[in-house]
Amino acid sequence: MCDFNLLSDEEKQLHHETLLNCANNFGGKNFFLHLLEAIRETKPHPLTAGNMSFDIELGSISWNKVIFNDKLQLLLKARKNESKQDNFLPEKNEKNYKKILNVVRTLKPIVFHVKPANPEDGSGFFFQAFDVIDENKTKLNPLFDAFFFCSVDTVKKLLNYEQKA
């Protein structure tokens, strides 16, 4: 999802609608992009926060389980391979299969709750890290990818995408 130019028009439209809906539930595009920029600027990575939340003046993201740095590093490595093979999970015979499967098992139950600081700005929304297609195919949830890994410019392009007539 993070390479705008490799997405089909249908994927761009789908991601546009999803991200726009999320942005509207957080107070609008500008608030949403401000949140993403704050996430990118935070070191160490916000996902490893011991209090399982990330707060800015416009709102917050919270989740229900601590994510350790070793899992985050494995996630980042596996994320690069997903775009090549259209599956987060490597082939079962690859040596890192069990490690990646454990990352999926660890992160799959985690629910991320995004909530604006002012309830008048929107109702917020939920998402998970993975979309499990079947026992052999798992994909990174596009919202999770957009929130924590994609460039803000890519997300901005998707938010402003207009399908050609």
Side-chain angles (χ1 to χ4, degrees):
M1 146 139 183
C2 289
D3 192 341
F4 182 81
N5 297 324
L6 292 180
L7 296 173
S8 70
D9 287 342
E10 293 81 23
E11 289 172 316
K12 288 176 186 175
Q13 185 63 32
L14 177 67
H15 295 318
H16 164 75
E17 290 168 6
T18 303
L19 288 168
L20 190 59
N21 185 37
C22 291
N24 290 335
N25 283 324
F26 190 72
K29 288 181 188 179
N30 289 336
F31 282 17
F32 187 76
L33 291 169
H34 186 73
L35 174 64
L36 297 185
E37 287 168 354
I39 289 170
R40 300 304 178 278
E41 293 168 1
T42 303
K43 303 289 183 238
H45 198 285
L47 283 174
T48 61
N51 64 353
M52 302 171 294
S53 69
F54 179 78
D55 302 308
I56 63 170
E57 69 279 356
L58 299 172
S60 64
I61 303 173
S62 58
W63 52 98
N64 55 339
K65 187 176 180 181
V66 174
I67 300 171
F68 294 103
N69 194 47
D70 63 328
K71 297 291 186 211
L72 177 63
Q73 296 309 315
L74 279 169
L75 173 71
L76 291 170
K77 283 182 187 172
R79 189 179 156 272
K80 290 177 184 171
N81 292 331
E82 180 188 20
S83 59
K84 297 174 196 162
Q85 60 193 24
D86 197 38
N87 188 0
F88 191 80
L89 295 173
E91 295 295 322
K92 286 186 178 183
N93 58 353
E94 290 186 34
K95 67 177 185 174
N96 64 344
Y97 175 77
K98 283 193 174 187
K99 285 183 180 179
I100 303 302
L101 184 61
N102 284 336
V103 168
V104 172
R105 286 180 178 159
T106 301
L107 300 182
K108 173 64 179 122
I110 298 175
V111 177
F112 295 87
H113 183 202
V114 181
K115 199 167 68 175
N118 184 350
E120 292 174 13
D121 289 333
S123 58
F125 54 94
F126 300 89
F127 63 90
Q128 288 184 290
F130 295 102
D131 295 331
V132 176
I133 312 303
D134 59 41
E135 67 179 47
N136 298 316
K137 188 168 186 173
T138 298
K139 294 182 139 255
L140 206 56
N141 182 317
L143 272 179
F144 180 74
D145 210 12
F147 259 87
F148 295 107
F149 306 113
C150 294
S151 74
V152 175
D153 283 342
T154 299
V155 175
K156 197 179 294 186
K157 284 179 186 175
L158 286 166
L159 276 171
N160 295 323
Y161 176 75
E162 290 183 23
Q163 201 163 20
K164 296 173 184 85

